[in-house]
Amino acid sequence: MPNELPKAYDPAAIEQKWAEFWVREHIFDSFAQAADDTSAKPFTMLLPPPNVTGRLHMGHMLNQTEMDILARWHRMRGEDSVWVPGTDHAGIATQMMVERQLASEGTNRKVVGRDAFLDRVWQWKAQYGGAITGQMRRLGASVDWSREYFTMDDNLSAAVTEAFVRLYEQGLIYRGSYIVNWDPVQQTAVSDLEVEHKETAGKLYSIRYPFADGSGSIVIATTRPETMLGDVAVVVNPADERYTALVGKTIKLPLVDRDIPLLADEWAKPEFGTGAVKVTPAHDPNDYETGKRHQLAELTIMDETAHIALPGSPYDGLERYAARERILADLHALGLLVEVKDHTLAVATSQRSGAVIEPRLSMQWFLKIQPLADKAIAAVEEGHIKFTPANYAKTYFEWMRNIHDWCISRQLWWGHRIPAYHCPECGTTCVSRTRPERCGSCDHAEMQQETDVLDTWFSSGLLPFTVFGWPGEQGTTATPDSARYYPTDLLVTGFDILFFWVARMIMFGTHFMLDVPMPDGSPRTLADAVPFREVYIHALVRAEDRQKMSKTKGNVIDPIEIIERFGTDAVRFTLASQASPGTDIAFSEQRTEGYRAFANKIWNAARFLFLQVERARAAGYKMRMGTGAQVTALPEITPMETRWIFARLRAVCAEVDRALKDYRFDEASNAIYQFFWGEFCDWYLELVKVRLDFPDMREGEAPIQNPETAISLAGLVGVFEASLRLLSPFMPFLTEELWHALYEGEAPAKSIALTRYPQPGDFPNDDAAVSAIATLQDLIVTVRALRKDLGVPEKEAAPILLHGDNRTLALADANRDMLARLARVSDVEFAQEPLTGPAARTGTGFDVLVQYERQIDVPAERERLTKELARLTKGLDAANRQLGNDGFLAKAPASVVEGLKKQQAETHLLHSKAQAALDALPA
RNA sequence: GGGCUGGUAGCUCAGCUGGUUAGAGCGCCUGCCUUACAAGCAGGAUGUCGGGGGUUCGAGUCCCUCCCGGCCCA
């Protein structure tokens, strides 16, 4: 027997080996790729591409565990499971990393220059960009590595250009000067989604603005006094009677001495501050709108770094907060600072750099979003995309219906450069797939490409079809891969990128793919234009105390470190067992310890099994380890416990199937756990030990083969082998190792991942065996409890007296050896009369009494019986009350009434017995 | 301000379209090194299902209301 397993499972000893094996042997390449087999139904998923700057965190681990379980499950069900991996170039994040590197060398990107800087980024990417995919390989994620992509690969970049040009030609992309969220640290525009609003304690300043004619003044309220340098008006609400008479007056803007009008506009809220607000169109989005309504000038007073840029002004060159202080001091000196109040405000910060956003008027590229959003909304409304949990569809609609045009340009260097070309001569801008030789207007020969790059999410929004070859050669027909794999089946992701990524993929998918005919040439409808048919949104992994993990709190759990301590399988199982939709996961090390124990349990069950096989062979039994994946019927002589465990396996397979269909990873993993530990190990292995009797073979004697023993051992091996397959999507490493060990080097497939997933129909049911084992379990548990209460020492066997129906008695009689082994029963005697007294107890269909001379602990027994009696009385009262209720009898379904009647009768019986036992206790 | 969501055993969470006496894991208590496993085995204790009201023959489950959390958007 080559299967000499160590006593305890050591994940570190096997995981590396299998992780490398799976990649080396291309186990997870799509079938079409690996065996040119296109008959299998595809199951396709796209990995949410981690940033190249990323390192694996618990969120990735959860995401990948869930996706891997599904990928493996579908693959084992015979589908062509294609899980496409890749990484995102992550514009800002990556650029920041390299800029930091340059800073440490005492230089910066502007000194280095654009081309050299990009070379540096590519170098950086080559060196560090593989960290996360390396970690994925280590985790055994069953992705198709042959399809791995990077969002800046040539083919994907070409697709980005194509998409941009098409949108431009369709009139959906425009360029213009608008107010945008400006990150003064990164010196780029960012989209609304990349801005976080933080409640911050600030001040509300009231400032007096005198009228130009000297007839008085008006007091305005602002949280940003420094922007007054760019004020072009003051507005009051038209309904605000305090100011009605003043509207139309001219104000002399303090410190600047510029004349600005006092206007009426709805934007001014009478209850806010003094009811009068200043208008700075170039530095506030609301003021920008107000300015547009009144055709006001837009005065930019700050540069890209949020320093005042007003040549000649005393504030010129001051950083915005320094300017604020100076301006407040000057206003104070002039007696114009009326009031300073504490005020909580939502400060907009840039998600990446943390810088306070400076709204800024600048030239940017925008995507007109409404036409795309309309189709994206329809796709979900019409049910072409299903969200799980379903309520995320509401969140999606909420956002989509209030969507604004998307600012897609970034003033960065790392990213897809916008395919627009400006003529330095006549100023014409054209958008083109290739660099134009000459200006279309003035024939100038040196067109200059737009320096802005695209928002990272522009390219990732296209991935569901660009990874499958879009646009292809013609640009209008499906590529072979997209014909086969588009739409993808499922997207698994976190809610944090619902808008960033999920919504954009839906918009781009329904926009671009709608133009690509179906493989048979027929026009594509919205139903087949969607990028995926289902979206499963998973939870957030939190720290054990339910706090969000964050670097600043220092409570970040590194999955790799946890894996090293507990093993990948245990960590995966922990996450799966806690992954119930809609609830965040509080990651618990204690729980992980529990699942490490589970892995060890499986390991030891295998050791037990291998030992039995060895013994059987020594006794002359011929054991074939391969039993076949499907067991349609068991031989006539099969003992009941083996019939039972197959029936249970069948039920568990059904439960796991159902649970995984509904993305109930928790229910699926718990079902397997219960089955394997609670039924297979705790009961089946103990019961079957009775059958596994292998006498030593004497020299020259023919082996005696007991058919029941042979069938029991075969059943044991068969159920164990099926359990490994059932478990393998959840614990791929352990199951791969044991499965190969079981087949002793002659496994029927290269990997357990390529075998058939156990289906309920693969195993026979047997109601009689199920009910027989249930009774036997009841009897054994009752006897064990009685023995404990009676104080029978663990090692000592004791006889029992049994009263009950014929079926129970026959069962006990036929299985004395099992009772002996599992409940230390030395002998079974039968009683004609019901049994009562402190040493007796009632189960379902029987009374049992343990014959042991030692006196029972009377007070303890009285307490136990009193409690039980109270419980039974409560149940009985409830049942009586309901059954005495005419309304219940008239309206409740017959099955419920019947069930209750049966239960009432049983409870009544138990109640009288418990009462009798209590009465029989000595005082 | 708008939207979404949660409050069930000491902890983390199940509990499907209302139907019998509310479950699991961990933890806790007691006894066992019973040769697959002490990362184990056996037995046991534990809940005013956030509060209040309502609908119903019947409510942890549906409705209203209040209290306390969380998340997203503005």
Side-chain angles (χ1 to χ4, degrees), chain A residues 340-419:
Chain A
V340 181
K341 266 198 324 196
D342 285 338
H343 180 73
T344 317
L345 62 161
V347 173
T349 58
S350 171
Q351 201 181 49
R352 278 289 162 197
S353 69
V356 174
I357 290 294
E358 186 58 54
R360 183 180 165 82
L361 201 59
S362 61
M363 185 63 86
Q364 302 289 346
W365 295 84
F366 293 87
L367 177 59
K368 210 167 168 183
I369 210 80
Q370 203 59 53
L372 283 82
D374 289 342
K375 276 182 277 187
I377 290 169
V380 176
E381 274 178 345
E382 291 169 18
H384 305 312
I385 297 175
K386 187 184 142 205
F387 280 87
T388 303
N391 58 286
Y392 279 107
K394 285 187 197 167
T395 311
Y396 169 82
F397 286 134
E398 194 63 27
W399 189 70
M400 285 301 247
R401 287 175 181 145
N402 296 293
I403 200 164
H404 301 291
D405 283 358
W406 176 13
C407 175
I408 51 175
S409 48
R410 295 291 178 273
Q411 288 65 52
L412 301 171
W413 287 353
W414 177 241
H416 297 101
R417 200 159 162 181
I418 289 176

Side-chain angles (χ1 to χ4, degrees), chain A residues 353-578:
Chain A
S353 69
V356 174
I357 290 294
E358 186 58 54
R360 183 180 165 82
L361 201 59
S362 61
M363 185 63 86
Q364 302 289 346
W365 295 84
F366 293 87
L367 177 59
K368 210 167 168 183
I369 210 80
Q370 203 59 53
L372 283 82
D374 289 342
K375 276 182 277 187
I377 290 169
V380 176
E381 274 178 345
E382 291 169 18
H384 305 312
I385 297 175
K386 187 184 142 205
F387 280 87
T388 303
N391 58 286
Y392 279 107
K394 285 187 197 167
T395 311
Y396 169 82
F397 286 134
E398 194 63 27
W399 189 70
M400 285 301 247
R401 287 175 181 145
N402 296 293
I403 200 164
H404 301 291
D405 283 358
W406 176 13
C407 175
I408 51 175
S409 48
R410 295 291 178 273
Q411 288 65 52
L412 301 171
W413 287 353
W414 177 241
H416 297 101
R417 200 159 162 181
I418 289 176
Y421 301 86
H422 306 294
C423 175
E425 197 64 27
C426 69
T428 305
T429 294
C430 69
V431 166
S432 165
R433 288 170 180 82
T434 53
R435 170 182 287 275
E437 294 285 324
R438 308 189 152 273
C439 174
S441 300
C442 72
D443 207 40
H444 183 77
E446 278 165 43
M447 296 292 277
Q448 289 169 355
Q449 187 172 359
E450 168 66 56
T451 52
D452 288 359
V453 300
L454 286 165
D455 182 0
T456 293
W457 298 101
F458 187 92
S459 59
S460 37
L462 303 167
L463 286 172
F465 43 97
T466 54
V467 296
F468 295 124
W470 185 93
E473 304 237 333
Q474 332 264 312
T476 47
T477 50
T479 62
D481 269 355
S482 74
R484 180 160 170 77
Y485 296 119
Y486 193 92
T488 66
D489 291 271
L490 174 67
L491 180 75
V492 180
T493 190
F495 63 84
D496 51 330
I497 52 173
L498 183 61
F499 307 139
F500 277 114
W501 194 46
V502 181
R504 266 95 180 243
M505 282 192 287
I506 297 175
M507 289 191 280
F508 280 155
T510 51
H511 183 73
F512 288 109
M513 287 305 285
L514 203 54
D515 298 336
V516 178
M518 297 297 283
D520 65 6
S522 64
R524 192 177 288 261
T525 63
L526 204 52
D528 293 307
V530 294
F532 28 75
R533 303 202 185 276
E534 293 198 33
V535 181
Y536 174 72
I537 305 278
H538 66 237
L540 199 69
V541 184
R542 293 169 171 277
E544 196 143 7
D545 56 2
R546 303 203 60 71
Q547 293 277 313
K548 225 174 185 167
M549 288 189 202
S550 78
K551 279 187 197 138
T552 46
K553 282 183 202 146
N555 61 349
V556 177
I557 299 171
D558 175 9
I560 298 297
E561 190 243 335
I562 290 285
I563 280 169
E564 277 163 8
R565 284 169 51 206
F566 299 102
T568 308
D569 289 335
V571 181
R572 286 172 61 114
F573 209 87
T574 307
L575 291 170
S577 75
Q578 292 197 266

